[in-house]
């Protein structure tokens, strides 16, 4: 055992290492990502709202029953790493030894090159961060399985550390008892405070036990470190693959939302469950595979709006008569400077006989509703170049027209038609937000059957008549998107032309994948003020001029 100390001071000097270890044990953390109270509240709220997260947690807990709390902490870390704007990881010495595997996993995720790209979609967005966790679920399962050995070593290191801490506490208690014994009057002599032999032996035994525990803890920590180092390369590869997959999924969902016109602000206000259901519906929609086409259409239309100048004079080609004060020639304006001629100017203005610059340019846009009549007969299901169906092209164009209406503060109506007995009307008033579920209903509905022009155009005319009677708005725009040509009666045509003259609306025709429909002797040509044929369904710019004049 070595030489027996003779005084309490000598015992204290020998036990000093253990006294300091017992008194100042560092705080150990079970989560790797530094988080404040609000971060933890966000995680708990998200966890409670996401059934998929809870199911994943329960599954991992069952697989790793002995370390079930570790898997919950790991999911927390993976979520916070994706959610926080600038995630900061704790240093390894700050971690509870049993969570060093978690620390390695999260470190590998954060340090992967794709992680910054992932956080562009997930930072500050609890829903997106939760989806990132779920996207990495398969990789997390594999990493946990692959690190079972390292985790066992980490658990042993944790237990050995606890034993060492208990041994240090035992040294403190034994020394305190020795001090109490020494303080008894009959135990002291003139040479100083000398503890009794029994107390001395107790202190020495606890010191030796502490030394043994410390050595065991060091060996266990070294074994755990070696096991973790051996597993680290595999963890890094798996983490990189996991982050890449999660980033790809996050980008795809964000693009899907943008394609369908769902903005970031709307997503932030949307409850978790509703947003999850919306994302699932968008992924499984009939037109989900054409989301990229829809997005390109909307982007193209946005660009055309930026180019368009409302009421532009265009190229000057002469002088005409009218009452558009923005185009009055200078000599007419000079009459306003002469009091005697002001009454003449007013009379000519009222009669529409002022001399104006005549111009050749874009036709001015309408102010009434924009109505898209979309053919959903059987033939519209036919695919063209690039595998894009005529229906997909027509729906993408119609959704871009919806954006056009929202931008201009105009009502939008989508009319789906096929045979005379098949018609469905979707209204999107300008004074209310376009509900995305309603937009999806419009985009997904397909009626099938034959083709009838009279029924959808009559419905469109009736809507514009209603708008005129209710709000005195004229100059609506009807866009006919079809791949077929069909007859109309003379009586109906007379009524149609009367309505056009009375309400001042325009009709644009788009013959999709059927050039013959756009021929000059077709019924569609007779119905429309402006008609074009679309043959390449991969080219969204073929309809660009629509968004400059509507």
């Amino acid at each position: 055992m070595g030489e027996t100390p003779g005084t309490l001071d000598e015992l204290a000097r020998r036990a000093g290492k253990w006294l300091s270890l017992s008194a100042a044990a560092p705080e150990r953390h079970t989560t790797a990502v530094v988080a404040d109270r609000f971060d933890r509240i966000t995680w708990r709220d998200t966890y409670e709202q996401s059934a998929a997260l809870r199911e994943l947690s329960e599954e991992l807990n069952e697989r790793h029953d002995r370390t079930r709390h570790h898997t919950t902490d790991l999911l927390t870390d993976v979520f916070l790493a994706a959610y926080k704007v600038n995630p900061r990881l704790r240093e390894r010495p700050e971690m509870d030894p049993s969570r060093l595997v978690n620390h390695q996993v999260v470190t590998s995720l954060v340090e992967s090159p794709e992680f910054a790209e992932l956080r562009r979609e997930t930072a500050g967005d609890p829903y997106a961060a939760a989806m990132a966790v779920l996207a990495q679920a398969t990789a997390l399962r594999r990493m946990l399985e692959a690190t079972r050995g390292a985790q066992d070593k980490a658990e042993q290191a944790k237990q050995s550390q606890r034993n060492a801490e208990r041994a240090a506490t035992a040294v403190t208690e034994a020394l305190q008892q020795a001090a109490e014994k020494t303080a008894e009057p009959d135990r002291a002599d003139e040479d100083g405070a000398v503890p009794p032999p029994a107390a001395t032996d107790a202190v020495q035994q606890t010191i030796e036990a502490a030394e043994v525990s410390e050595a065991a803890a060091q060996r266990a920590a070294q074994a755990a470190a070696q096991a973790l180092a051996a597993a680290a390369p595999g963890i890094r590869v798996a983490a990189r693959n996991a982050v890449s997959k999660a980033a790809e999924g996050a980008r795809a969902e964000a693009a899907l939302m943008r394609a369908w016109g769902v903005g970031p602000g709307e997503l932030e206000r949307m409850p978790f469950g509703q947003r999850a259901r919306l994302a699932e519906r968008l992924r499984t929609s009939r037109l989900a595979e054409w989301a990229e086409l829809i997005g390109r259409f909307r982007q193209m239309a946005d660009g055309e709006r930026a180019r368009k100048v409302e009421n532009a004079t265009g190229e000057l080609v002469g002088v005409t008569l009218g009452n558009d004060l923005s185009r009055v020639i200078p000599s007419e304006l000079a009459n306003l400077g002469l009091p005697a001629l002001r009454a003449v100017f007013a009379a000519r203005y009222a009669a529409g006989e002022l001399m104006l610059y005549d111009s050749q340019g874009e036709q001015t846009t309408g102010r009434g509703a924009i109505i898209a009549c979309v053919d959903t007969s059987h033939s519209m299901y036919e695919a063209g170049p690039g595998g894009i169906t005529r229906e997909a092209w027509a729906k993408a164009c119609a959704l871009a027209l919806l954006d056009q209406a929202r931008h201009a503060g105009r009502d939008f109506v989508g009319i789906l038609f096929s045979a005379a007995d098949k018609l469905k009307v979707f209204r999107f008033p300008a004074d209310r937000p376009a509900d995305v579920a309603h937009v999806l209903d419009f985009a997904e509905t397909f009626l099938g059957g034959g083709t009838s022009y009279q029924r959808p155009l009559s419905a469109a005319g009736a809507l514009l008549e209603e708008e005129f009677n209710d709000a005195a708005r004229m100059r609506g725009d009807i866009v006919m998107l079809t791949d077929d040509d069909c007859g109309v009666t003379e009586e109906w045509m007379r009524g149609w032309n009367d309505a056009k003259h009375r309400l001042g609306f325009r009709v644009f025709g788009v013959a999709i994948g059927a050039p013959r429909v756009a021929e000059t002797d077709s019924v569609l040509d007779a119905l429309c003020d402006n008609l074009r044929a679309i043959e390449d369904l991969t080219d969204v710019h073929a309809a660009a001029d629509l968004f400059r004049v509507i």
Side-chain angles (χ1 to χ4, degrees):
M1 275 195 217
E3 185 177 353
T4 303
T7 67
L8 189 60
D9 289 341
E10 292 173 343
L11 285 173
R13 277 195 297 274
R14 181 156 180 213
K17 173 182 178 180
W18 313 108
L19 294 176
S20 61
L21 180 62
S22 175
E27 181 183 5
R28 304 289 182 173
H29 297 277
T30 58
T31 53
V33 179
V34 178
D36 59 26
R37 180 167 61 93
F38 299 104
D39 295 330
R40 291 189 288 271
I41 290 173
T42 299
W43 161 248
R44 286 197 298 269
D45 289 347
T46 305
Y47 183 84
E48 288 302 319
Q49 294 177 74
S50 173
L53 273 182
R54 295 196 302 274
E55 289 170 4
L56 176 60
S57 178
E58 291 168 4
E59 176 202 331
L60 294 179
N61 286 341
E62 289 176 3
R63 288 190 180 192
H64 306 272
D65 182 64
R66 193 164 59 87
T67 57
R68 57 189 304 116
H69 296 300
H70 303 42
T71 56
T72 301
D73 289 338
L74 178 60
L75 293 184
T76 304
D77 278 332
V78 175
F79 171 84
L80 292 176
Y83 170 73
K84 288 178 67 65
V85 175
N86 293 302
R88 182 172 69 85
L89 302 187
R90 304 185 194 281
E91 298 296 328
R92 285 173 62 92
E94 298 179 69
M95 295 298 297
D96 185 293
S98 65
R99 303 303 199 278
L100 287 176
V101 171
N102 287 5
H103 187 276
Q104 180 64 59
V105 170
V106 178
T107 299
S108 297
L109 292 172
V110 172
E111 291 180 350
S112 64
E114 295 80 4
F115 187 73
E117 185 177 353
L118 171 64
R119 285 199 307 108
R120 277 197 288 271
E121 304 293 348
T122 62
D125 187 337
Y127 170 86
M131 293 304 104
V133 175
L134 295 173
Q136 298 172 86
T138 300
L140 293 175
R141 293 185 188 100
R142 291 173 180 168
M143 284 188 279
L144 289 173
E145 289 296 331
T147 56
R148 276 187 183 270
Q151 187 61 59
D152 289 341
K153 296 293 185 183
E155 289 296 324
Q156 293 170 14
K158 169 69 174 177
Q159 187 57 49
S160 296
Q161 184 187 63
R162 287 177 177 171
N163 292 340
E165 290 171 354
R166 283 195 290 266
T169 301
V171 170
T172 302
E173 292 174 350
L175 191 61
Q176 184 177 0
Q177 291 174 2
E180 292 173 353
K181 294 291 185 181
T182 304
E184 297 176 9
D186 57 347
R187 297 293 184 185
D189 60 18
E190 65 278 4
D191 295 327
V194 179
T200 301
D201 291 343
V203 173
Q204 290 187 90
Q205 289 171 5
T206 56
I207 290 174
E208 290 171 358
E211 290 171 345
V212 171
S213 295
E214 180 192 32
Q218 289 176 347
R219 289 193 299 272
Q222 185 177 7
Q226 291 173 345
L228 189 55
I235 293 175
R236 283 192 288 270
V237 172
R240 183 169 184 174
N241 292 336
V243 173
S244 179
K245 180 179 179 180
E248 182 180 352
R251 283 195 307 272
E253 183 162 314
L256 196 61
M257 292 293 181
R258 287 193 296 271
W260 287 98
V262 186
E266 185 177 357
L267 289 175
E268 288 177 6
R269 296 188 298 271
M270 197 175 292
F272 188 97
Q274 181 182 348
R275 185 169 169 183
R277 289 189 295 273
L278 172 61
E280 178 63 19
R281 184 176 180 187
L282 291 180
R283 283 192 294 269
T284 58
S285 164
R286 287 184 57 251
L287 297 179
E289 61 181 307
W290 310 124
E292 190 268 341
L293 172 71
I294 294 168
R296 285 195 294 122
F297 238 112
R298 286 180 138 153
Q299 186 176 21
M300 176 274 293
D302 188 57
E304 293 303 318
R305 279 194 295 274
R307 291 176 53 194
K308 180 171 64 176
V309 178
E310 297 289 346
N311 301 317
T313 56
E315 180 185 359
L316 296 178
V317 294
V319 176
T320 186
L321 299 179
N323 57 6
D324 185 350
L325 295 178
S326 67
R327 294 190 287 134
V328 173
I329 66 174
S331 61
E332 288 278 27
L333 290 174
N335 292 335
L336 288 174
L338 302 173
L341 296 179
R342 287 174 185 168
V344 175
F345 182 93
R348 294 183 65 190
Y349 171 76
E353 295 179 351
L354 293 173
M355 286 189 292
L356 313 175
Y357 283 122
D358 195 9
S359 63
Q360 179 176 323
E362 299 287 3
Q363 189 176 4
T364 56
T365 57
R367 284 293 174 265
I370 296 176
I371 302 178
C373 296
V374 181
D375 186 350
T376 59
S377 60
H378 283 313
S379 58
M380 289 291 286
Y381 202 69
E382 182 180 333
I388 298 173
T389 65
R390 297 171 179 180
E391 178 206 8
W393 195 97
K395 296 284 182 64
C397 185
L399 291 174
L401 288 168
L402 168 59
D403 290 346
Q404 189 86 345
R406 309 304 294 183
H407 180 80
R410 301 168 67 182
D411 290 350
F412 176 80
V413 181
I415 297 178
L416 303 180
F417 71 94
S418 58
D421 61 340
K422 293 184 177 181
L423 188 84
K424 194 156 188 180
V425 178
F426 295 82
R427 305 184 70 162
F428 299 88
D431 59 355
R432 292 199 295 273
D435 180 66
V436 67
H438 197 44
V439 173
L440 279 171
D441 288 340
F442 166 64
E444 289 184 312
T445 300
F446 189 81
L447 302 176
T451 305
S452 169
Y453 282 176
Q454 289 187 192
R455 179 89 188 277
L457 289 175
S458 294
L463 288 168
L464 293 177
E465 182 89 47
E466 177 187 329
E467 183 180 39
F468 175 74
N469 293 335
D470 292 345
R473 282 199 297 268
M474 298 177 62
R475 295 169 56 206
D477 290 309
I478 299 173
V479 182
M480 191 75 167
L481 297 146
T482 182
D483 69 341
D484 199 2
D485 198 41
C486 64
V488 296
T489 66
E490 291 184 9
E491 181 182 359
W492 181 90
M493 193 68 176
R494 284 194 296 271
W496 174 253
N497 288 331
D498 288 343
K500 279 187 68 178
H501 179 73
R502 185 174 67 258
L503 301 173
F505 61 78
R506 298 175 297 177
V507 183
F508 299 85
V510 184
I512 305 170
R516 66 175 182 80
V517 178
E519 295 174 357
T520 55
D521 60 348
S522 69
V523 173
L524 189 61
D525 179 61
L527 288 168
C528 298
D529 303 296
N530 181 300
L531 177 62
R532 80 284 325 279
I534 306 297
E535 297 185 51
D536 183 0
L537 302 189
T538 64
D539 182 14
V540 300
H541 293 280
D545 62 314
L546 274 177
F547 300 93
R548 291 196 297 271
V549 297
I550 291 180

